[in-house]
Amino acid sequence: MIAQSVREQLQSIVGPKWFKDDTETLVSYSYDATPLYQAMPDGVVFPASTEEVSEVMKVCAGHKIPVIARGAGSNLCAGVVPVQGGIVMVMTRMNRLIEIDQDNLTATFQTGLNTKQFHTAVEATGLFYPPDPSSMIICTMGGNIALGAGGLRGLKYGTTKDYVIGLEAVMANGDILRTGGKLVKDVAGYDLTRLLVGSGGTLAIITEATVKLVPKPDFRRSMVAIYSDLQSAARSVSQIVANRITPCTLEFMDRATIRVVEDFARIGLPVDAEAILAIEQDGDESMVERDLQRIEELCRKEGAIQVKVAATPEEGAKVMEARRSALAALSRLRPTTILEDATVPRSRIADMVMEVQRIAAKYDVQICTFGHAGDGNLHPTAMTDARNAEEIHRVEKAFEEIFEAAISMGGTITGEHGVGMVKAPYLEWKVGASGIDIMKRLKLAFDPDQLLNPGKLFAETRKRIVLTDGPGEGEGEGRSEAREAGQVRANEQERQTESELESKQDRQGRQDQQEHSLQLAEETQQRVRRAGTGSEEGLS
């Protein structure tokens, strides 16, 4: 509950219309696009300028009130759930494209700007901003920056972090920080710009950004390679890159995903194929045609049973849109869809997909896999039902084992979604105790009172599951590991006891959270996801 005096201060900063604490608004901003996570804020503000953000932060800092910066809410890591209450700061009023500088090849904007609208405006000038998250039609540029968003074009062009060159941000005490600028070179001190990109609103609230642009490619063409086995598809990916060809897009879908997407998009995908690669190249027309011809040769050599090159740009666009619709298509199958983003070296893609299939069978859960084959960023996606606590527990155990498998193959727990609350228990698996320690020290330096987006990144570390080669298929064995001691195993009986206790606690905690979430959703019915400024979009 926000004290009346604080409420009046916030209203005086943003205006009475732009501070809300009615039940409908609070519930609307109590969750994001991540299933199973929900917590009520105490109030919601909609600032219109960096100065208003600064003044709001000063008030909240003075009263030790947590602040959670939010874009459109489309993130998949529970990155903006107000787990400790406080104020949700919605940035979507700050949506101005300030400048497209064609001399310096940069663009500057407020961070509430919609990503698709930004792309459209930039391309109208003959320039190009490559990062293209699948949620671009709803997410915000600020959300992309906060979580280091990727996208389909990451293999050739890189991700959000590779394009942000300057930021304006508000610190936890209300001070305004400016980093970088329209510069190709700048090594003046620590790279604070890179530090803030991907920090998930835990270090500062980003209000304005400058990104670099590139010339828009002259030509683009797509193709689909169809396979009867996963290994052939994976070998094709490796061969394409080994032959010094870097496609704009190199996407993978397994059989289960192909069937669901085709049922959704109706574009003629081969539903009996074991896997497909959706490939796109851009650039000079002669270079594109040459690359696609060579890619077709490589795919056929590695076992593709069919290769289809799009006859028109429109046909190619349908293929890529079908791939972008994978999550929407899968979400039609069950009431709850949980999408993750375990990432491995591209040479281990087939191994990872087969491991996901093994783990799904072991825990008797439905998991489809698609993703960015060119950079090893896969999206194992579970279709389940939040009302079935026992099944949700099996899904969580499956993903825990999937994260461990990714790390054991030289990968990571998240390639583009961010850590948030979802991956926080596993972060130490990836970065180690020393990594966690230095991150916590950085957090304290920026935010000594822990007010900015609390409850994200850091959590009690889950017991490490060590995968071994001993058990047969479906019989994977787990052991507690003292990671810092290097491969030290705990006694098996002790592991089982701890695991059973942890499972019971996890199950009860999740069940309580689910019941609370369902109760809130029931109370608001159709009002959920409507805010005072109009319909809610989804994050970032």
Side-chain angles (χ1 to χ4, degrees):
M1 177 73 72
I2 298 294
Q4 181 61 26
S5 60
V6 175
R7 193 174 186 275
E8 291 172 357
Q9 284 180 280
L10 296 176
Q11 287 178 326
S12 70
I13 295 168
V14 299
K17 180 180 178 180
W18 302 113
F19 171 84
K20 296 180 179 295
D21 59 0
D22 60 281
T23 301
E24 180 176 347
T25 300
L26 297 183
V27 173
S28 295
Y29 291 95
S30 66
Y31 62 94
D32 53 30
T34 316
L36 310 178
Y37 291 84
Q38 185 170 25
M40 291 285 277
D42 297 298
V44 183
V45 295
F46 302 82
S49 67
T50 299
E51 290 69 31
E52 288 187 4
V53 173
S54 174
E55 292 304 312
V56 168
M57 278 309 313
K58 290 175 182 176
V59 170
C60 291
H63 293 85
K64 301 295 187 288
I65 299 171
V67 177
I68 301 89
R70 176 188 176 113
S74 64
N75 79 88
L76 296 168
C77 65
V80 293
V81 175
V83 66
Q84 294 183 20
I87 297 294
V88 172
M89 182 180 288
V90 183
M91 307 299 289
T92 49
R93 284 183 71 204
M94 297 178 60
N95 57 12
R96 187 162 61 93
L97 175 55
I98 297 169
E99 175 191 45
I100 296 176
D101 185 340
Q102 299 191 55
D103 293 329
N104 288 304
L105 297 184
T106 65
T108 302
F109 49 84
Q110 292 179 310
T111 51
L113 179 64
N114 172 268
T115 303
K116 179 65 174 178
Q117 292 175 3
F118 177 66
H119 276 251
T120 301
V122 168
E123 291 180 26
T125 69
L127 296 174
F128 187 46
Y129 178 72
D132 61 335
S134 294
S135 60
M136 63 189 295
I137 195 170
I138 54 174
C139 65
T140 65
M141 291 298 291
N144 299 167
I145 293 168
L147 292 177
L152 278 65
R153 295 193 282 248
L155 170 63
K156 182 172 184 176
Y157 290 104
T159 62
T160 300
K161 64 180 173 56
D162 301 306
Y163 290 85
V164 180
I165 56 177
L167 294 172
E168 178 181 79
V170 176
M171 307 293 288
N173 64 359
D175 288 351
I176 298 173
L177 172 70
R178 292 180 176 86
T179 73
K182 299 178 182 182
L183 304 167
V184 176
K185 297 178 179 178
D186 182 2
V187 292
Y190 294 128
D191 192 343
L192 297 178
T193 303
R194 283 289 187 114
L195 180 59
L196 292 179
V197 174
S199 63
T202 62
L203 301 181
I205 297 174
I206 301 170
T207 57
E208 188 177 299
T210 298
V211 298
K212 65 180 181 181
L213 307 175
V214 297
K216 183 179 178 182
D218 295 328
F219 185 75
R220 177 176 288 126
R221 178 158 288 179
S222 303
M223 64 187 292
V224 175
I226 303 165
Y227 297 87
S228 59
D229 68 284
L230 292 171
Q231 290 286 359
S232 295
R235 286 197 307 268
S236 295
V237 172
S238 296
Q239 283 300 308
I240 290 168
V241 177
N243 277 268
R244 307 297 187 266
I245 304 171
T246 307
C248 170
T249 301
L250 182 49
E251 297 292 299
F252 165 86
M253 286 191 282
D254 70 3
R255 183 175 185 173
T257 308
I258 294 167
R259 291 186 169 190
V260 175
V261 169
E262 172 58 21
D263 184 59
F264 179 75
R266 303 286 183 183
I267 64 167
L269 294 178
V271 294
D272 293 328
E274 195 65 32
I276 66 171
L277 296 178
I279 305 164
E280 185 176 66
Q281 183 60 299
D282 62 6
D284 175 75
E285 183 173 357
S286 61
M287 183 272 290
V288 170
E289 297 291 5
R290 184 175 64 250
D291 282 354
L292 289 186
Q293 182 178 354
R294 181 61 178 144
I295 290 172
E296 180 176 354
E297 293 171 359
L298 292 169
C299 290
R300 291 189 184 279
K301 180 180 178 182
E302 293 302 330
I305 58 178
Q306 190 176 7
V307 178
K308 297 180 179 179
V309 179
T312 65
E314 291 75 21
E315 185 180 335
K318 285 182 180 179
V319 172
M320 292 305 157
E321 283 307 311
R323 160 57 188 88
R324 291 182 189 278
S325 71
L327 177 58
L330 292 171
S331 68
R332 301 165 70 209
L333 298 182
R334 299 285 304 278
T336 307
T337 306
I338 302 175
L339 181 148
E340 289 297 352
D341 69 326
T343 302
V344 295
R346 67 173 70 94
S347 62
R348 303 300 303 272
I349 286 174
D351 295 335
M352 189 65 201
V353 173
M354 289 189 290
E355 184 66 4
V356 169
Q357 292 176 345
R358 183 195 69 79
I359 292 168
K362 173 183 175 180
Y363 290 100
D364 190 24
V365 293
Q366 184 180 11
I367 298 179
C368 296
T369 303
F370 60 94
H372 317 303
D375 54 29
N377 184 194
L378 296 175
H379 294 306
T381 304
M383 284 66 67
T384 183
D385 190 335
R387 295 166 296 187
N388 185 336
E390 190 275 332
E391 182 178 315
I392 288 294
H393 176 68
R394 284 187 279 114
V395 168
E396 290 180 332
K397 299 304 289 185
F399 275 123
E400 182 174 319
E401 201 162 311
I402 287 170
F403 297 151
E404 173 58 42
I407 291 173
S408 72
M409 294 181 192
T412 183
I413 60 175
T414 176
E416 60 186 3
H417 291 172
V419 175
M421 293 174 64
V422 173
K423 307 288 180 59
Y426 311 101
L427 182 59
E428 188 174 335
W429 292 9
K430 171 61 180 172
V431 304
S434 296
I436 292 291
D437 180 64
I438 195 64
M439 288 182 187
K440 286 182 175 180
R441 290 171 184 266
L442 283 168
K443 169 68 171 173
L444 286 173
F446 276 81
D447 181 18
D449 292 321
Q450 307 281 298
L451 299 179
L452 292 174
N453 206 7
K456 314 307 187 298
L457 282 181
F458 309 116
E460 183 177 351
T461 300
R462 289 287 184 95
K463 289 287 185 181
R464 184 84 183 273
I465 302 298
V466 180
L467 303 180
T468 69
D469 296 329
E473 184 175 355
E475 299 174 350
E477 180 181 0
R479 294 191 180 97
S480 298
E481 179 189 59
R483 181 177 173 88
E484 293 304 307
Q487 306 306 315
V488 176
R489 296 329 197 251
N491 177 271
E492 176 66 14
Q493 181 61 46
E494 180 183 359
R495 183 201 67 79
Q496 290 176 350
T497 302
E498 291 177 349
S499 179
E500 289 168 3
L501 178 60
E502 177 189 349
S503 297
K504 183 177 180 181
Q505 293 171 336
D506 285 352
R507 212 166 24 239
Q508 185 60 51
R510 179 69 72 205
Q511 187 171 2
D512 292 345
Q513 185 178 43
Q514 290 165 10
E515 290 174 356
H516 176 61
S517 298
L518 290 170
Q519 181 181 359
L520 288 171
E522 228 173 285
E523 290 173 354
T524 56
Q525 298 177 0
Q526 297 302 319
R527 296 180 301 168
V528 171
R529 285 194 180 278
R530 291 199 304 272
T533 54
S535 66
E536 166 146 13
E537 298 179 310
L539 170 61
S540 244

